[in-house]
Amino acid sequence: DVKVTQSSRYLVKRTGEKVFLECVQDMDHENMFWYRQDPGLGLRLIYFSYDVKMKEKGDIPEGYSVSREKKERFSLILESASTNQTSMYLCASSSGSKSSYNEQFFGPGTRLTVL
Amino acid sequence: DQQVKQNSPSLSVQEGRISILNCDYTNSMFDYFLWYKKYPAEGPTFLISISSIKDKNEDGRFTVFLNKSAKHLSLHIVPSQPGDSAVYFCAASDGGGADGLTFGKGTHLIIQP
Protein backbone atom coordinates (compact mmCIF):
# COMPACT_ATOMS: atom_id res chain seq x y z
CA ASP A 1 0.00 0.00 0.00
CA VAL A 2 1.24 3.45 -0.97
CA LYS A 3 2.56 5.43 1.93
CA VAL A 4 3.87 8.95 2.50
CA THR A 5 4.70 9.83 6.07
CA GLN A 6 5.52 13.14 7.67
CA SER A 7 7.56 13.44 10.84
CA SER A 8 5.04 15.46 12.85
CA ARG A 9 1.30 16.07 12.69
CA TYR A 10 1.48 19.22 14.82
CA LEU A 11 4.41 21.53 15.48
CA VAL A 12 4.72 24.79 17.40
CA LYS A 13 7.82 26.94 16.92
CA ARG A 14 8.93 30.44 17.79
CA THR A 15 9.75 33.23 15.36
CA GLY A 16 13.35 33.00 14.20
CA GLU A 17 13.75 29.29 14.91
CA LYS A 18 15.10 26.92 12.27
CA VAL A 19 12.46 24.34 11.42
CA PHE A 20 12.84 20.98 9.70
CA LEU A 21 9.88 19.14 8.23
CA GLU A 22 10.63 15.60 7.16
CA CYS A 23 8.85 13.46 4.59
CA VAL A 24 9.46 9.83 3.73
CA GLN A 25 7.86 7.71 1.01
CA ASP A 26 8.12 3.97 0.65
CA MET A 27 7.03 3.63 -2.97
CA ASP A 28 10.43 4.20 -4.63
CA HIS A 29 9.02 7.31 -6.32
CA GLU A 30 11.33 9.57 -8.27
CA ASN A 31 9.43 12.80 -7.64
CA MET A 32 8.67 14.51 -4.34
CA PHE A 33 6.88 17.76 -3.56
CA TRP A 34 6.19 20.20 -0.75
CA TYR A 35 2.97 22.24 -0.69
CA ARG A 36 1.35 24.50 1.85
CA GLN A 37 -2.39 24.76 2.30
CA ASP A 38 -4.03 27.92 3.60
CA PRO A 39 -7.76 28.69 3.95
CA GLY A 40 -9.12 30.29 0.80
CA LEU A 41 -5.86 29.74 -1.09
CA GLY A 42 -5.86 26.02 -1.82
CA LEU A 43 -2.56 24.17 -2.12
CA ARG A 44 0.50 26.06 -3.33
CA LEU A 45 3.71 24.43 -4.48
CA ILE A 46 6.84 25.41 -2.53
CA TYR A 47 9.57 23.14 -3.93
CA PHE A 48 9.83 19.85 -5.75
CA SER A 49 12.50 17.34 -6.61
CA TYR A 50 12.67 14.84 -9.47
CA ASP A 51 15.84 13.07 -8.38
CA VAL A 52 18.25 12.76 -5.48
CA LYS A 53 20.22 15.98 -4.96
CA MET A 54 17.96 17.79 -7.45
CA LYS A 55 15.51 20.53 -6.50
CA GLU A 56 13.27 22.96 -8.33
CA LYS A 57 11.48 26.05 -7.07
CA GLY A 58 7.73 26.01 -7.07
CA ASP A 59 5.38 28.95 -6.94
CA ILE A 60 6.24 30.22 -3.45
CA PRO A 61 9.84 29.21 -2.53
CA GLU A 62 10.73 32.38 -0.61
CA GLY A 63 11.71 31.68 2.99
CA TYR A 64 12.14 27.94 2.37
CA SER A 65 14.84 25.53 1.28
CA VAL A 66 14.82 21.77 0.71
CA SER A 67 17.13 18.82 0.88
CA ARG A 68 16.99 15.45 -0.89
CA GLU A 69 19.97 13.32 0.07
CA LYS A 70 18.15 9.99 -0.37
CA LYS A 71 15.47 8.98 -2.83
CA GLU A 72 12.89 8.24 -0.17
CA ARG A 73 13.36 11.38 1.94
CA PHE A 74 12.57 15.03 1.17
CA SER A 75 13.06 17.69 3.83
CA LEU A 76 11.61 21.18 3.95
CA ILE A 77 13.63 23.74 5.91
CA LEU A 78 12.48 27.06 7.27
CA GLU A 79 15.75 28.87 7.95
CA SER A 80 14.16 31.49 10.21
CA ALA A 81 10.50 30.84 10.89
CA SER A 82 8.08 33.72 10.67
CA THR A 83 4.43 34.00 11.68
CA ASN A 84 3.30 34.11 8.03
CA GLN A 85 4.66 30.58 7.66
CA THR A 86 1.99 29.27 9.99
CA SER A 87 0.21 26.79 7.74
CA MET A 88 -0.58 23.17 6.91
CA TYR A 89 2.38 21.64 5.07
CA LEU A 90 1.75 18.71 2.75
CA CYS A 91 4.33 16.41 1.23
CA ALA A 92 3.58 14.36 -1.90
CA SER A 93 5.34 11.92 -4.19
CA SER A 94 4.79 10.50 -7.65
CA SER A 95 6.46 8.08 -10.01
CA GLY A 96 7.50 8.58 -13.58
CA SER A 97 9.38 10.96 -15.74
CA LYS A 98 8.37 14.28 -17.22
CA SER A 99 6.68 12.52 -20.09
CA SER A 100 4.43 10.35 -17.98
CA TYR A 101 1.37 11.29 -16.02
CA ASN A 102 0.90 9.86 -12.59
CA GLU A 103 -1.08 11.09 -9.67
CA GLN A 104 0.65 12.44 -6.60
CA PHE A 105 0.20 10.68 -3.28
CA PHE A 106 0.01 12.91 -0.24
CA GLY A 107 1.09 12.53 3.35
CA PRO A 108 -1.22 13.43 6.25
CA GLY A 109 0.21 16.93 6.62
CA THR A 110 2.02 18.88 9.35
CA ARG A 111 0.14 21.72 11.02
CA LEU A 112 2.89 24.26 11.84
CA THR A 113 2.20 27.20 14.14
CA VAL A 114 4.84 29.93 14.45
CA LEU A 115 4.40 32.12 17.51
CA ASP B 1 -2.88 35.29 -11.17
CA GLN B 2 -4.98 32.24 -10.51
CA GLN B 3 -4.59 29.64 -13.24
CA VAL B 4 -7.05 27.11 -11.82
CA LYS B 5 -10.32 28.48 -10.51
CA GLN B 6 -13.02 26.87 -8.44
CA ASN B 7 -15.57 29.61 -8.11
CA SER B 8 -17.88 27.89 -5.64
CA PRO B 9 -16.36 27.80 -2.15
CA SER B 10 -19.15 25.49 -1.00
CA LEU B 11 -21.93 23.34 -2.38
CA SER B 12 -24.79 21.64 -0.58
CA VAL B 13 -26.48 18.59 -2.18
CA GLN B 14 -29.12 16.19 -0.94
CA GLU B 15 -28.08 12.59 -0.41
CA GLY B 16 -28.84 10.46 -3.47
CA ARG B 17 -28.81 13.41 -5.88
CA ILE B 18 -26.07 14.41 -8.31
CA SER B 19 -23.19 16.63 -7.16
CA ILE B 20 -21.52 18.74 -9.84
CA LEU B 21 -18.27 20.49 -9.01
CA ASN B 22 -16.84 22.93 -11.53
CA CYS B 23 -13.34 24.07 -12.38
CA ASP B 24 -12.00 26.56 -14.92
CA TYR B 25 -8.42 27.07 -16.04
CA THR B 26 -6.62 29.76 -17.97
CA ASN B 27 -3.32 28.12 -18.95
CA SER B 28 -3.72 26.47 -22.36
CA MET B 29 -0.55 24.47 -21.72
CA PHE B 30 -2.29 22.36 -19.08
CA ASP B 31 -2.79 18.87 -20.46
CA TYR B 32 -3.55 16.73 -17.44
CA PHE B 33 -6.22 17.35 -14.84
CA LEU B 34 -6.94 15.70 -11.52
CA TRP B 35 -9.49 15.84 -8.74
CA TYR B 36 -8.51 15.32 -5.12
CA LYS B 37 -10.72 14.89 -2.07
CA LYS B 38 -9.65 16.12 1.34
CA TYR B 39 -11.06 15.47 4.78
CA PRO B 40 -10.09 17.75 7.69
CA ALA B 41 -6.67 16.98 9.25
CA GLU B 42 -5.81 14.53 6.44
CA GLY B 43 -3.81 14.81 3.25
CA PRO B 44 -5.64 14.98 -0.11
CA THR B 45 -6.46 11.67 -1.73
CA PHE B 46 -6.53 11.18 -5.46
CA LEU B 47 -9.99 10.68 -6.93
CA ILE B 48 -9.91 10.73 -10.72
CA SER B 49 -7.93 12.25 -13.57
CA ILE B 50 -8.26 13.06 -17.26
CA SER B 51 -5.77 13.86 -19.96
CA SER B 52 -6.42 16.49 -22.59
CA ILE B 53 -6.84 13.90 -25.32
CA LYS B 54 -10.09 12.77 -23.72
CA ASP B 55 -13.33 14.56 -22.92
CA LYS B 56 -14.69 12.13 -20.35
CA ASN B 57 -13.39 9.68 -17.79
CA GLU B 58 -15.55 7.55 -15.54
CA ASP B 59 -14.76 5.59 -12.39
CA GLY B 60 -17.73 4.16 -10.52
CA ARG B 61 -19.83 7.02 -9.14
CA PHE B 62 -17.32 9.62 -10.32
CA THR B 63 -17.14 11.11 -13.82
CA VAL B 64 -14.93 13.94 -14.97
CA PHE B 65 -15.80 15.93 -18.10
CA LEU B 66 -13.32 18.13 -19.94
CA ASN B 67 -14.27 20.91 -22.37
CA LYS B 68 -10.97 22.13 -23.80
CA SER B 69 -12.44 24.91 -25.91
CA ALA B 70 -14.09 26.40 -22.83
CA LYS B 71 -11.14 25.53 -20.57
CA HIS B 72 -13.59 23.97 -18.19
CA LEU B 73 -13.87 20.69 -16.37
CA SER B 74 -16.43 19.28 -14.02
CA LEU B 75 -16.70 16.40 -11.57
CA HIS B 76 -20.01 14.57 -11.32
CA ILE B 77 -20.80 12.35 -8.34
CA VAL B 78 -23.86 10.14 -8.72
CA PRO B 79 -25.47 9.26 -6.39
CA SER B 80 -24.07 11.50 -3.66
CA GLN B 81 -23.41 9.81 -0.32
CA PRO B 82 -22.75 11.24 3.18
CA GLY B 83 -19.11 10.09 3.00
CA ASP B 84 -18.64 12.37 -0.01
CA SER B 85 -18.77 15.41 2.28
CA ALA B 86 -15.26 16.86 1.98
CA VAL B 87 -13.27 19.57 0.25
CA TYR B 88 -12.62 18.84 -3.43
CA PHE B 89 -9.61 20.27 -5.20
CA CYS B 90 -9.19 20.56 -8.93
CA ALA B 91 -5.56 20.38 -10.08
CA ALA B 92 -3.74 20.71 -13.39
CA SER B 93 -0.33 19.94 -14.83
CA ASP B 94 1.53 21.07 -17.92
CA GLY B 95 4.69 19.12 -17.40
CA GLY B 96 3.84 15.51 -16.85
CA GLY B 97 4.50 13.47 -13.78
CA ALA B 98 7.67 15.14 -12.57
CA ASP B 99 6.32 18.64 -12.10
CA GLY B 100 4.17 20.05 -9.36
CA LEU B 101 0.45 20.53 -9.72
CA THR B 102 -1.44 23.81 -9.82
CA PHE B 103 -4.45 23.60 -7.52
CA GLY B 104 -7.70 25.49 -7.30
CA LYS B 105 -8.86 26.86 -3.95
CA GLY B 106 -11.25 23.99 -3.37
CA THR B 107 -14.99 23.48 -3.04
CA HIS B 108 -16.49 22.27 0.23
CA LEU B 109 -19.16 19.71 -0.66
CA ILE B 110 -21.80 19.08 1.98
CA ILE B 111 -24.17 16.14 1.52
CA GLN B 112 -27.42 16.71 3.34
CA PRO B 113 -29.32 13.63 4.65
Side-chain angles (χ1 to χ4, degrees):
Chain A
D1 201 16
V2 161
K3 202 158 187 187
V4 179
T5 56
Q6 296 183 227
S7 52
S8 306
R9 291 303 300 272
Y10 300 94
L11 209 52
V12 180
K13 295 292 180 181
R14 297 212 174 269
T15 301
E17 279 193 75
K18 191 169 186 175
V19 182
F20 292 87
L21 302 182
E22 306 285 343
C23 175
V24 177
Q25 50 94 3
D26 64 0
M27 298 160 283
D28 200 35
H29 282 170
E30 292 81 4
N31 314 307
M32 296 188 74
F33 310 84
W34 275 105
Y35 295 86
R36 61 179 281 177
Q37 183 197 0
D38 300 289
L41 294 177
L43 279 74
R44 293 178 293 166
L45 181 65
I46 305 171
Y47 265 98
F48 62 101
S49 167
Y50 53 86
D51 201 354
V52 175
K53 303 279 188 184
M54 305 300 289
K55 60 184 179 183
E56 296 279 347
K57 290 180 180 179
D59 299 319
I60 51 163
E62 296 80 18
Y64 304 93
S65 62
V66 289
S67 171
R68 191 153 181 216
E69 297 295 320
K70 293 185 178 181
K71 189 176 185 181
E72 68 271 17
R73 188 178 296 269
F74 192 34
S75 302
L76 180 69
I77 303 154
L78 288 66
E79 294 289 341
S80 177
S82 63
T83 54
N84 63 13
Q85 293 178 309
T86 291
S87 186
M88 167 71 88
Y89 289 88
L90 292 158
C91 175
S93 71
S94 72
S95 64
S97 65
K98 273 189 170 288
S99 61
S100 68
Y101 294 93
N102 294 291
E103 69 266 24
Q104 295 181 12
F105 296 90
F106 282 82
T110 295
R111 170 70 65 186
L112 172 67
T113 301
V114 182
L115 301 175
Chain B
D1 185 30
Q2 207 183 340
Q3 297 186 71
V4 177
K5 299 177 186 178
Q6 293 178 258
N7 292 320
S8 299
S10 67
L11 176 67
S12 185
V13 175
Q14 203 168 7
E15 183 180 355
R17 305 294 291 268
I18 182 170
S19 294
I20 300 175
L21 295 92
N22 293 304
C23 178
D24 297 295
Y25 62 95
T26 58
N27 187 343
S28 57
M29 298 300 290
F30 287 146
D31 56 2
Y32 184 57
F33 304 89
L34 309 89
W35 285 94
Y36 281 84
K37 176 180 178 180
K38 187 180 184 299
Y39 293 119
E42 292 184 14
T45 54
F46 170 75
L47 206 52
I48 193 168
S49 64
I50 188 166
S51 76
S52 59
I53 61 171
K54 293 186 173 183
D55 54 19
K56 178 183 173 182
N57 188 25
E58 196 170 349
D59 184 1
R61 295 186 299 115
F62 303 94
T63 303
V64 56
F65 295 92
L66 175 62
N67 181 335
K68 287 191 292 294
S69 60
K71 292 191 178 70
H72 176 82
L73 62 154
S74 60
L75 174 67
H76 293 211
I77 306 173
V78 182
S80 300
Q81 298 175 353
D84 296 331
S85 294
V87 177
Y88 289 78
F89 290 99
C90 173
S93 170
D94 65 353
D99 285 354
L101 297 171
T102 301
F103 283 83
K105 293 183 178 182
T107 296
H108 185 194
L109 177 64
I110 302 159
I111 305 300
Q112 306 276 10

PDB file of all heavy atoms in Angstrom, chain B residues 39-62:
ATOM      1  N   TYR B  39     -10.353  15.362   3.504  1.00  0.00           N
ATOM      2  CA  TYR B  39     -11.058  15.469   4.784  1.00  0.00           C
ATOM      3  C   TYR B  39     -10.209  16.329   5.717  1.00  0.00           C
ATOM      4  O   TYR B  39      -8.989  16.421   5.551  1.00  0.00           O
ATOM      5  CB  TYR B  39     -11.245  14.084   5.415  1.00  0.00           C
ATOM      6  CG  TYR B  39     -12.183  13.175   4.642  1.00  0.00           C
ATOM      7  CD1 TYR B  39     -11.730  11.973   4.110  1.00  0.00           C
ATOM      8  CD2 TYR B  39     -13.531  13.487   4.471  1.00  0.00           C
ATOM      9  CE1 TYR B  39     -12.577  11.122   3.426  1.00  0.00           C
ATOM     10  CE2 TYR B  39     -14.381  12.639   3.778  1.00  0.00           C
ATOM     11  CZ  TYR B  39     -13.900  11.464   3.258  1.00  0.00           C
ATOM     12  OH  TYR B  39     -14.739  10.621   2.577  1.00  0.00           O
ATOM     13  N   PRO B  40     -10.841  16.940   6.729  1.00  0.00           N
ATOM     14  CA  PRO B  40     -10.087  17.751   7.691  1.00  0.00           C
ATOM     15  C   PRO B  40      -8.968  16.953   8.351  1.00  0.00           C
ATOM     16  O   PRO B  40      -9.141  15.771   8.658  1.00  0.00           O
ATOM     17  CB  PRO B  40     -11.152  18.156   8.720  1.00  0.00           C
ATOM     18  CG  PRO B  40     -12.444  18.070   7.988  1.00  0.00           C
ATOM     19  CD  PRO B  40     -12.291  16.940   7.011  1.00  0.00           C
ATOM     20  N   ALA B  41      -7.821  17.572   8.556  1.00  0.00           N
ATOM     21  CA  ALA B  41      -6.672  16.977   9.248  1.00  0.00           C
ATOM     22  C   ALA B  41      -6.104  15.756   8.516  1.00  0.00           C
ATOM     23  O   ALA B  41      -5.404  14.941   9.138  1.00  0.00           O
ATOM     24  CB  ALA B  41      -7.031  16.597  10.686  1.00  0.00           C
ATOM     25  N   GLU B  42      -6.412  15.604   7.231  1.00  0.00           N
ATOM     26  CA  GLU B  42      -5.808  14.530   6.438  1.00  0.00           C
ATOM     27  C   GLU B  42      -5.233  15.117   5.163  1.00  0.00           C
ATOM     28  O   GLU B  42      -5.618  16.207   4.736  1.00  0.00           O
ATOM     29  CB  GLU B  42      -6.851  13.468   6.063  1.00  0.00           C
ATOM     30  CG  GLU B  42      -7.380  12.665   7.235  1.00  0.00           C
ATOM     31  CD  GLU B  42      -8.331  11.573   6.777  1.00  0.00           C
ATOM     32  OE1 GLU B  42      -8.369  11.273   5.571  1.00  0.00           O
ATOM     33  OE2 GLU B  42      -9.043  11.033   7.641  1.00  0.00           O
ATOM     34  N   GLY B  43      -4.310  14.387   4.537  1.00  0.00           N
ATOM     35  CA  GLY B  43      -3.808  14.814   3.245  1.00  0.00           C
ATOM     36  C   GLY B  43      -4.822  14.553   2.152  1.00  0.00           C
ATOM     37  O   GLY B  43      -5.715  13.724   2.308  1.00  0.00           O
ATOM     38  N   PRO B  44      -4.729  15.250   1.020  1.00  0.00           N
ATOM     39  CA  PRO B  44      -5.638  14.982  -0.106  1.00  0.00           C
ATOM     40  C   PRO B  44      -5.452  13.569  -0.636  1.00  0.00           C
ATOM     41  O   PRO B  44      -4.337  13.032  -0.639  1.00  0.00           O
ATOM     42  CB  PRO B  44      -5.197  16.008  -1.158  1.00  0.00           C
ATOM     43  CG  PRO B  44      -4.432  17.049  -0.409  1.00  0.00           C
ATOM     44  CD  PRO B  44      -3.775  16.328   0.728  1.00  0.00           C
ATOM     45  N   THR B  45      -6.536  12.982  -1.081  1.00  0.00           N
ATOM     46  CA  THR B  45      -6.464  11.673  -1.726  1.00  0.00           C
ATOM     47  C   THR B  45      -6.941  11.807  -3.158  1.00  0.00           C
ATOM     48  O   THR B  45      -7.924  12.492  -3.446  1.00  0.00           O
ATOM     49  CB  THR B  45      -7.304  10.613  -0.993  1.00  0.00           C
ATOM     50  OG1 THR B  45      -8.641  11.101  -0.869  1.00  0.00           O
ATOM     51  CG2 THR B  45      -6.752  10.326   0.373  1.00  0.00           C
ATOM     52  N   PHE B  46      -6.224  11.133  -4.039  1.00  0.00           N
ATOM     53  CA  PHE B  46      -6.534  11.185  -5.456  1.00  0.00           C
ATOM     54  C   PHE B  46      -7.887  10.537  -5.731  1.00  0.00           C
ATOM     55  O   PHE B  46      -8.211   9.483  -5.196  1.00  0.00           O
ATOM     56  CB  PHE B  46      -5.436  10.465  -6.238  1.00  0.00           C
ATOM     57  CG  PHE B  46      -5.753  10.238  -7.684  1.00  0.00           C
ATOM     58  CD1 PHE B  46      -5.706  11.285  -8.585  1.00  0.00           C
ATOM     59  CD2 PHE B  46      -6.107   8.980  -8.134  1.00  0.00           C
ATOM     60  CE1 PHE B  46      -6.008  11.075  -9.913  1.00  0.00           C
ATOM     61  CE2 PHE B  46      -6.406   8.755  -9.459  1.00  0.00           C
ATOM     62  CZ  PHE B  46      -6.358   9.807 -10.352  1.00  0.00           C
ATOM     63  N   LEU B  47      -8.656  11.183  -6.602  1.00  0.00           N
ATOM     64  CA  LEU B  47      -9.994  10.684  -6.931  1.00  0.00           C
ATOM     65  C   LEU B  47     -10.060  10.192  -8.367  1.00  0.00           C
ATOM     66  O   LEU B  47     -10.343   9.034  -8.640  1.00  0.00           O
ATOM     67  CB  LEU B  47     -10.998  11.817  -6.716  1.00  0.00           C
ATOM     68  CG  LEU B  47     -12.445  11.526  -6.392  1.00  0.00           C
ATOM     69  CD1 LEU B  47     -12.562  10.579  -5.212  1.00  0.00           C
ATOM     70  CD2 LEU B  47     -13.183  12.820  -6.091  1.00  0.00           C
ATOM     71  N   ILE B  48      -9.773  11.059  -9.309  1.00  0.00           N
ATOM     72  CA  ILE B  48      -9.914  10.729 -10.717  1.00  0.00           C
ATOM     73  C   ILE B  48      -9.123  11.745 -11.539  1.00  0.00           C
ATOM     74  O   ILE B  48      -8.897  12.864 -11.079  1.00  0.00           O
ATOM     75  CB  ILE B  48     -11.409  10.724 -11.131  1.00  0.00           C
ATOM     76  CG1 ILE B  48     -11.624  10.069 -12.503  1.00  0.00           C
ATOM     77  CG2 ILE B  48     -12.013  12.121 -11.073  1.00  0.00           C
ATOM     78  CD1 ILE B  48     -13.093   9.784 -12.822  1.00  0.00           C
ATOM     79  N   SER B  49      -8.679  11.338 -12.722  1.00  0.00           N
ATOM     80  CA  SER B  49      -7.928  12.246 -13.573  1.00  0.00           C
ATOM     81  C   SER B  49      -8.399  12.133 -15.023  1.00  0.00           C
ATOM     82  O   SER B  49      -9.133  11.209 -15.389  1.00  0.00           O
ATOM     83  CB  SER B  49      -6.433  11.930 -13.487  1.00  0.00           C
ATOM     84  OG  SER B  49      -6.175  10.630 -14.004  1.00  0.00           O
ATOM     85  N   ILE B  50      -7.948  13.090 -15.834  1.00  0.00           N
ATOM     86  CA  ILE B  50      -8.265  13.060 -17.260  1.00  0.00           C
ATOM     87  C   ILE B  50      -7.151  13.767 -18.018  1.00  0.00           C
ATOM     88  O   ILE B  50      -6.639  14.798 -17.572  1.00  0.00           O
ATOM     89  CB  ILE B  50      -9.644  13.707 -17.546  1.00  0.00           C
ATOM     90  CG1 ILE B  50     -10.060  13.485 -19.004  1.00  0.00           C
ATOM     91  CG2 ILE B  50      -9.652  15.193 -17.196  1.00  0.00           C
ATOM     92  CD1 ILE B  50     -11.529  13.801 -19.270  1.00  0.00           C
ATOM     93  N   SER B  51      -6.754  13.188 -19.122  1.00  0.00           N
ATOM     94  CA  SER B  51      -5.768  13.861 -19.959  1.00  0.00           C
ATOM     95  C   SER B  51      -6.493  14.647 -21.043  1.00  0.00           C
ATOM     96  O   SER B  51      -7.660  14.400 -21.334  1.00  0.00           O
ATOM     97  CB  SER B  51      -4.803  12.864 -20.580  1.00  0.00           C
ATOM     98  OG  SER B  51      -5.421  12.180 -21.644  1.00  0.00           O
ATOM     99  N   SER B  52      -5.777  15.575 -21.650  1.00  0.00           N
ATOM    100  CA  SER B  52      -6.420  16.491 -22.594  1.00  0.00           C
ATOM    101  C   SER B  52      -6.835  15.822 -23.904  1.00  0.00           C
ATOM    102  O   SER B  52      -7.524  16.433 -24.717  1.00  0.00           O
ATOM    103  CB  SER B  52      -5.499  17.677 -22.880  1.00  0.00           C
ATOM    104  OG  SER B  52      -4.281  17.221 -23.407  1.00  0.00           O
ATOM    105  N   ILE B  53      -6.421  14.577 -24.090  1.00  0.00           N
ATOM    106  CA  ILE B  53      -6.837  13.900 -25.319  1.00  0.00           C
ATOM    107  C   ILE B  53      -8.223  13.270 -25.172  1.00  0.00           C
ATOM    108  O   ILE B  53      -8.789  12.758 -26.135  1.00  0.00           O
ATOM    109  CB  ILE B  53      -5.821  12.821 -25.743  1.00  0.00           C
ATOM    110  CG1 ILE B  53      -5.679  11.739 -24.663  1.00  0.00           C
ATOM    111  CG2 ILE B  53      -4.474  13.469 -26.046  1.00  0.00           C
ATOM    112  CD1 ILE B  53      -4.849  10.550 -25.120  1.00  0.00           C
ATOM    113  N   LYS B  54      -8.761  13.319 -23.960  1.00  0.00           N
ATOM    114  CA  LYS B  54     -10.091  12.766 -23.716  1.00  0.00           C
ATOM    115  C   LYS B  54     -11.057  13.883 -23.337  1.00  0.00           C
ATOM    116  O   LYS B  54     -10.637  14.974 -22.936  1.00  0.00           O
ATOM    117  CB  LYS B  54     -10.040  11.754 -22.581  1.00  0.00           C
ATOM    118  CG  LYS B  54      -9.253  10.496 -22.893  1.00  0.00           C
ATOM    119  CD  LYS B  54      -9.393   9.500 -21.755  1.00  0.00           C
ATOM    120  CE  LYS B  54      -8.776   8.173 -22.107  1.00  0.00           C
ATOM    121  NZ  LYS B  54      -8.965   7.178 -21.030  1.00  0.00           N
ATOM    122  N   ASP B  55     -12.351  13.597 -23.425  1.00  0.00           N
ATOM    123  CA  ASP B  55     -13.328  14.562 -22.920  1.00  0.00           C
ATOM    124  C   ASP B  55     -14.159  13.996 -21.774  1.00  0.00           C
ATOM    125  O   ASP B  55     -14.972  14.714 -21.185  1.00  0.00           O
ATOM    126  CB  ASP B  55     -14.231  15.087 -24.038  1.00  0.00           C
ATOM    127  CG  ASP B  55     -14.908  13.959 -24.796  1.00  0.00           C
ATOM    128  OD1 ASP B  55     -14.984  12.835 -24.268  1.00  0.00           O
ATOM    129  OD2 ASP B  55     -15.364  14.204 -25.924  1.00  0.00           O
ATOM    130  N   LYS B  56     -13.925  12.738 -21.444  1.00  0.00           N
ATOM    131  CA  LYS B  56     -14.688  12.132 -20.354  1.00  0.00           C
ATOM    132  C   LYS B  56     -13.904  10.963 -19.771  1.00  0.00           C
ATOM    133  O   LYS B  56     -13.260  10.208 -20.509  1.00  0.00           O
ATOM    134  CB  LYS B  56     -16.034  11.632 -20.896  1.00  0.00           C
ATOM    135  CG  LYS B  56     -16.924  10.925 -19.880  1.00  0.00           C
ATOM    136  CD  LYS B  56     -18.194  10.424 -20.551  1.00  0.00           C
ATOM    137  CE  LYS B  56     -19.044   9.564 -19.618  1.00  0.00           C
ATOM    138  NZ  LYS B  56     -20.249   9.051 -20.286  1.00  0.00           N
ATOM    139  N   ASN B  57     -13.963  10.847 -18.444  1.00  0.00           N
ATOM    140  CA  ASN B  57     -13.385   9.677 -17.789  1.00  0.00           C
ATOM    141  C   ASN B  57     -14.292   9.299 -16.624  1.00  0.00           C
ATOM    142  O   ASN B  57     -14.705  10.161 -15.853  1.00  0.00           O
ATOM    143  CB  ASN B  57     -11.959   9.959 -17.287  1.00  0.00           C
ATOM    144  CG  ASN B  57     -11.269   8.720 -16.781  1.00  0.00           C
ATOM    145  OD1 ASN B  57     -11.606   7.602 -17.188  1.00  0.00           O
ATOM    146  ND2 ASN B  57     -10.306   8.882 -15.907  1.00  0.00           N
ATOM    147  N   GLU B  58     -14.572   8.021 -16.523  1.00  0.00           N
ATOM    148  CA  GLU B  58     -15.551   7.552 -15.543  1.00  0.00           C
ATOM    149  C   GLU B  58     -14.928   6.501 -14.634  1.00  0.00           C
ATOM    150  O   GLU B  58     -14.174   5.630 -15.091  1.00  0.00           O
ATOM    151  CB  GLU B  58     -16.728   6.935 -16.297  1.00  0.00           C
ATOM    152  CG  GLU B  58     -17.989   6.737 -15.500  1.00  0.00           C
ATOM    153  CD  GLU B  58     -19.159   6.342 -16.392  1.00  0.00           C
ATOM    154  OE1 GLU B  58     -19.037   6.417 -17.633  1.00  0.00           O
ATOM    155  OE2 GLU B  58     -20.192   5.967 -15.846  1.00  0.00           O
ATOM    156  N   ASP B  59     -15.241   6.583 -13.345  1.00  0.00           N
ATOM    157  CA  ASP B  59     -14.759   5.588 -12.389  1.00  0.00           C
ATOM    158  C   ASP B  59     -15.822   5.422 -11.318  1.00  0.00           C
ATOM    159  O   ASP B  59     -15.892   6.207 -10.371  1.00  0.00           O
ATOM    160  CB  ASP B  59     -13.432   6.033 -11.774  1.00  0.00           C
ATOM    161  CG  ASP B  59     -12.841   4.983 -10.844  1.00  0.00           C
ATOM    162  OD1 ASP B  59     -13.447   3.892 -10.687  1.00  0.00           O
ATOM    163  OD2 ASP B  59     -11.772   5.235 -10.265  1.00  0.00           O
ATOM    164  N   GLY B  60     -16.669   4.403 -11.490  1.00  0.00           N
ATOM    165  CA  GLY B  60     -17.733   4.163 -10.520  1.00  0.00           C
ATOM    166  C   GLY B  60     -18.718   5.319 -10.473  1.00  0.00           C
ATOM    167  O   GLY B  60     -19.288   5.714 -11.488  1.00  0.00           O
ATOM    168  N   ARG B  61     -18.883   5.904  -9.300  1.00  0.00           N
ATOM    169  CA  ARG B  61     -19.831   7.023  -9.138  1.00  0.00           C
ATOM    170  C   ARG B  61     -19.270   8.352  -9.622  1.00  0.00           C
ATOM    171  O   ARG B  61     -19.990   9.354  -9.648  1.00  0.00           O
ATOM    172  CB  ARG B  61     -20.221   7.152  -7.662  1.00  0.00           C
ATOM    173  CG  ARG B  61     -20.985   5.971  -7.088  1.00  0.00           C
ATOM    174  CD  ARG B  61     -21.466   6.247  -5.658  1.00  0.00           C
ATOM    175  NE  ARG B  61     -20.377   6.508  -4.730  1.00  0.00           N
ATOM    176  CZ  ARG B  61     -20.178   7.672  -4.116  1.00  0.00           C
ATOM    177  NH1 ARG B  61     -20.997   8.696  -4.342  1.00  0.00           N
ATOM    178  NH2 ARG B  61     -19.177   7.814  -3.270  1.00  0.00           N
ATOM    179  N   PHE B  62     -17.994   8.379  -9.973  1.00  0.00           N
ATOM    180  CA  PHE B  62     -17.323   9.625 -10.320  1.00  0.00           C
ATOM    181  C   PHE B  62     -17.052   9.706 -11.829  1.00  0.00           C
ATOM    182  O   PHE B  62     -16.532   8.772 -12.429  1.00  0.00           O
ATOM    183  CB  PHE B  62     -15.995   9.733  -9.557  1.00  0.00           C
ATOM    184  CG  PHE B  62     -16.161   9.649  -8.069  1.00  0.00           C
ATOM    185  CD1 PHE B  62     -16.029   8.436  -7.404  1.00  0.00           C
ATOM    186  CD2 PHE B  62     -16.470  10.776  -7.328  1.00  0.00           C
ATOM    187  CE1 PHE B  62     -16.196   8.348  -6.031  1.00  0.00           C
ATOM    188  CE2 PHE B  62     -16.641  10.699  -5.957  1.00  0.00           C
ATOM    189  CZ  PHE B  62     -16.508   9.485  -5.302  1.00  0.00           C
TER     190      PHE B  62
END
